[in-house]
Amino acid sequence: VCFSIFDHADGPRSLATRMVQATGWFAPVPIPISLLALAAHKIPTKHHRTWLWKKFLRSLTCRCTSSYNRKSEAEASSMLVRFSIARSCTKEGYIQFNELIKLYARKRGVNGVAQAMVQAVISRGSISEHPEHIWAACFLLFRFGNDPIVVELKVSELLFLVKEVILPLAIRTFITFSRCSASLELLRLCTDALEAADQAFVTPVEKWLDKSLCWKPIQTNAQLNPCLWQELALSRATLLETRAKLMLRGGQFDIGDDLIRKAIFIRTSICGEDHPNTISARETLSKLTRLLANVQIHTSP
């Protein structure tokens, strides 16, 4: 009944309805209204022509768009509170939903909602202010335990995620909250995702046009886009080195030694032995080797 009222009051795809749809994928904590509204706006529309027309109108009224968006976000959140679908929080600009509402939003199963939530969190989320929601996005992107992967990213989006979100989040979780297992597991899953993307890059690409040109050699994505492939490999090396450094701090020297050697191999192959990043990785390897030798000396009979 409430959704029918919202749709009648604000068109067939009201912002309030879409905000409820998006909330099912956020963490079970208060949600910033601006972040929730951004996810709601990113939910794909069913009618492509309508979306293009709205985009055209938005481009004509770009000066007043921000103030209009803030007003519509406030009206939508106020409507949700009035109908007891959500409740306001003591922290200004936040709203909270009951878990039954969030479960209903998930079960409703609108296509593209989880993707919209992940895109909103990646583009606008703050690691210091919204760590729970960023972790919720990570659970949709990577296979934690038996949970399936809900959202898949393009390679360029995955690389941005690694640099801007995953690495800072894992380091902050490890150092600030001493959650070593969670940080290392996140980095491991992200490394696996990059390895899978790398494997796809070196797989030959078959195009329907190439079948008629039998003399043309089959190419891979790595050959078609070498810069992106190198960036992918270097990001994997950065993840491996970060995992090795965290394991060094956690006393897991043997595993860290194996990881840093892989990082050195990648960087040496792409950047060369004299590159600063390669030298930095070798210094990390030297520390691990010394500590591992000391452990073996003290534990030997």
Side-chain angles (χ1 to χ4, degrees):
V1 177
C2 293
F3 288 119
S4 300
I5 295 174
F6 296 160
D7 292 342
H8 178 74
D10 196 22
R13 288 184 53 80
S14 71
L15 179 59
T17 302
R18 285 177 286 158
M19 287 171 70
V20 175
Q21 292 171 354
T23 189
W25 300 100
F26 280 85
V29 294
I31 308 171
I33 295 175
S34 59
L35 195 63
L36 181 60
L38 178 62
H41 284 301
K42 288 182 177 292
I43 297 175
T45 58
K46 294 182 180 179
H47 303 289
H48 187 62
R49 292 182 179 179
T50 305
W51 178 80
L52 290 175
W53 176 247
K54 287 183 178 180
K55 187 175 181 180
F56 173 71
L57 290 178
R58 196 180 299 119
S59 65
L60 295 178
T61 58
C62 58
R63 292 184 179 179
C64 57
T65 298
S66 59
S67 60
Y68 173 77
N69 284 342
R70 286 194 296 269
K71 182 179 179 181
S72 61
E73 291 169 9
E75 291 176 351
S77 60
S78 176
M79 187 181 296
L80 293 173
V81 172
R82 286 201 306 271
F83 281 88
S84 299
I85 294 177
R87 64 178 184 272
S88 57
C89 300
T90 54
K91 191 174 183 180
E92 186 178 357
Y94 282 70
I95 193 171
Q96 190 161 11
F97 291 80
N98 187 282
E99 286 304 308
L100 290 176
I101 298 294
K102 295 168 72 71
L103 180 61
Y104 169 76
R106 284 200 181 202
K107 294 295 184 181
R108 204 175 185 194
V110 179
N111 292 331
V113 177
Q115 182 91 23
M117 177 270 183
V118 170
Q119 291 176 348
V121 169
I122 291 175
S123 61
R124 194 75 61 84
S126 169
I127 294 175
S128 59
E129 297 180 6
H130 320 125
E132 297 89 354
H133 300 302
I134 295 178
W135 272 104
C138 291
F139 272 87
L140 297 176
L141 290 167
F142 305 114
R143 196 184 302 277
F144 284 87
N146 296 323
D147 295 336
I149 296 176
V150 179
V151 177
E152 294 185 1
L153 298 178
K154 299 177 182 178
V155 174
S156 57
E157 295 173 335
L158 183 60
L159 290 173
F160 177 84
L161 177 75
V162 170
K163 294 179 181 178
E164 303 297 330
V165 179
I166 298 297
L167 285 171
L169 177 65
I171 293 172
R172 182 176 185 269
T173 303
F174 188 97
I175 296 175
T176 306
F177 302 104
S178 299
R179 295 178 180 175
C180 308
S181 299
S183 301
L184 292 173
E185 180 66 8
L186 175 61
L187 292 175
R188 185 188 69 81
L189 292 172
C190 192
T191 305
D192 292 344
L194 289 182
E195 288 179 353
D198 182 81
Q199 187 63 34
F201 252 68
V202 298
T203 302
V205 178
E206 291 188 6
K207 298 181 180 179
W208 66 270
L209 184 61
D210 295 339
K211 294 180 180 179
S212 61
L213 305 175
C214 57
W215 64 86
K216 187 176 181 180
I218 298 177
Q219 291 183 309
T220 64
N221 281 319
Q223 293 172 318
L224 296 173
N225 198 340
C227 294
L228 187 61
W229 177 75
Q230 287 187 3
E231 188 178 357
L232 180 64
L234 291 175
S235 295
R236 188 155 59 95
T238 302
L239 280 174
L240 291 168
E241 183 182 17
T242 304
R243 290 170 62 191
K245 288 181 177 180
L246 294 182
M247 287 182 174
L248 188 152
R249 298 186 60 155
Q252 302 181 28
F253 305 132
D254 51 346
I255 302 176
D257 182 86
D258 181 59
L259 294 174
I260 196 63
R261 289 181 187 276
K262 292 179 180 178
I264 292 173
F265 175 78
I266 294 172
R267 286 180 175 168
T268 303
S269 302
I270 296 177
C271 304
E273 295 183 355
D274 298 329
H275 193 275
N277 291 339
T278 307
I279 296 173
S280 174
R282 289 188 181 278
E283 292 175 354
T284 303
L285 175 61
S286 299
K287 293 179 183 178
L288 281 166
T289 303
R290 288 196 303 269
L291 291 171
L292 187 59
N294 291 335
V295 170
Q296 291 174 349
I297 292 172
H298 288 88
T299 56
S300 60

Short mmCIF file of all heavy atoms in Angstrom, two decimals, residues 34-35 38 119-126 130:
data_model
loop_
_atom_site.label_atom_id
_atom_site.label_comp_id
_atom_site.label_asym_id
_atom_site.label_seq_id
_atom_site.Cartn_x
_atom_site.Cartn_y
_atom_site.Cartn_z
N SER A 34 22.12 10.83 1.63
CA SER A 34 22.70 11.17 0.33
C SER A 34 23.23 9.93 -0.37
O SER A 34 23.08 9.78 -1.59
CB SER A 34 23.82 12.19 0.52
OG SER A 34 24.84 11.67 1.37
N LEU A 35 23.84 9.01 0.38
CA LEU A 35 24.39 7.79 -0.21
C LEU A 35 23.26 6.86 -0.66
O LEU A 35 23.33 6.26 -1.73
CB LEU A 35 25.28 7.08 0.82
CG LEU A 35 26.21 5.99 0.30
CD1 LEU A 35 27.22 6.57 -0.67
CD2 LEU A 35 26.94 5.31 1.46
N LEU A 38 21.71 8.31 -3.78
CA LEU A 38 22.57 8.10 -4.94
C LEU A 38 22.40 6.68 -5.49
O LEU A 38 22.32 6.48 -6.70
CB LEU A 38 24.03 8.36 -4.56
CG LEU A 38 25.06 8.13 -5.67
CD1 LEU A 38 24.83 9.09 -6.84
CD2 LEU A 38 26.48 8.31 -5.13
N GLN A 119 28.02 0.68 -6.76
CA GLN A 119 28.53 1.86 -7.48
C GLN A 119 28.44 3.11 -6.62
O GLN A 119 29.36 3.95 -6.62
CB GLN A 119 27.76 2.04 -8.78
CG GLN A 119 28.04 0.97 -9.82
CD GLN A 119 27.19 1.13 -11.06
OE1 GLN A 119 26.22 1.90 -11.07
NE2 GLN A 119 27.53 0.39 -12.11
N ALA A 120 27.35 3.26 -5.89
CA ALA A 120 27.19 4.43 -5.03
C ALA A 120 28.21 4.45 -3.91
O ALA A 120 28.82 5.48 -3.61
CB ALA A 120 25.77 4.47 -4.47
N VAL A 121 28.42 3.30 -3.29
CA VAL A 121 29.36 3.22 -2.17
C VAL A 121 30.79 3.45 -2.65
O VAL A 121 31.58 4.14 -2.00
CB VAL A 121 29.23 1.86 -1.46
CG1 VAL A 121 30.37 1.65 -0.48
CG2 VAL A 121 27.90 1.77 -0.74
N ILE A 122 31.14 2.89 -3.81
CA ILE A 122 32.49 3.06 -4.33
C ILE A 122 32.76 4.52 -4.69
O ILE A 122 33.84 5.06 -4.42
CB ILE A 122 32.71 2.15 -5.55
CG1 ILE A 122 32.73 0.68 -5.12
CG2 ILE A 122 34.01 2.49 -6.26
CD1 ILE A 122 32.82 -0.29 -6.27
N SER A 123 31.78 5.17 -5.31
CA SER A 123 32.00 6.53 -5.79
C SER A 123 31.87 7.58 -4.70
O SER A 123 32.55 8.61 -4.74
CB SER A 123 31.02 6.85 -6.93
OG SER A 123 29.68 6.75 -6.46
N ARG A 124 31.01 7.35 -3.71
CA ARG A 124 30.73 8.39 -2.72
C ARG A 124 31.04 7.98 -1.28
O ARG A 124 31.10 8.82 -0.40
CB ARG A 124 29.25 8.79 -2.83
CG ARG A 124 28.84 10.07 -2.14
CD ARG A 124 29.30 11.30 -2.86
NE ARG A 124 28.72 11.38 -4.20
CZ ARG A 124 27.51 11.87 -4.46
NH1 ARG A 124 26.73 12.30 -3.48
NH2 ARG A 124 27.07 11.94 -5.70
N GLY A 125 31.26 6.70 -1.04
CA GLY A 125 31.47 6.24 0.32
C GLY A 125 32.81 6.68 0.89
O GLY A 125 33.80 6.82 0.17
N SER A 126 32.83 6.88 2.20
CA SER A 126 34.04 7.28 2.91
C SER A 126 34.45 6.16 3.86
O SER A 126 33.62 5.66 4.62
CB SER A 126 33.80 8.57 3.69
OG SER A 126 34.87 8.85 4.58
N HIS A 130 31.86 5.64 6.53
CA HIS A 130 30.92 4.58 6.14
C HIS A 130 31.62 3.23 5.99
O HIS A 130 31.40 2.54 4.98
CB HIS A 130 30.23 4.93 4.82
CG HIS A 130 29.84 6.37 4.69
ND1 HIS A 130 30.24 7.17 3.63
CD2 HIS A 130 29.09 7.16 5.50
CE1 HIS A 130 29.76 8.38 3.78
NE2 HIS A 130 29.06 8.41 4.91
#
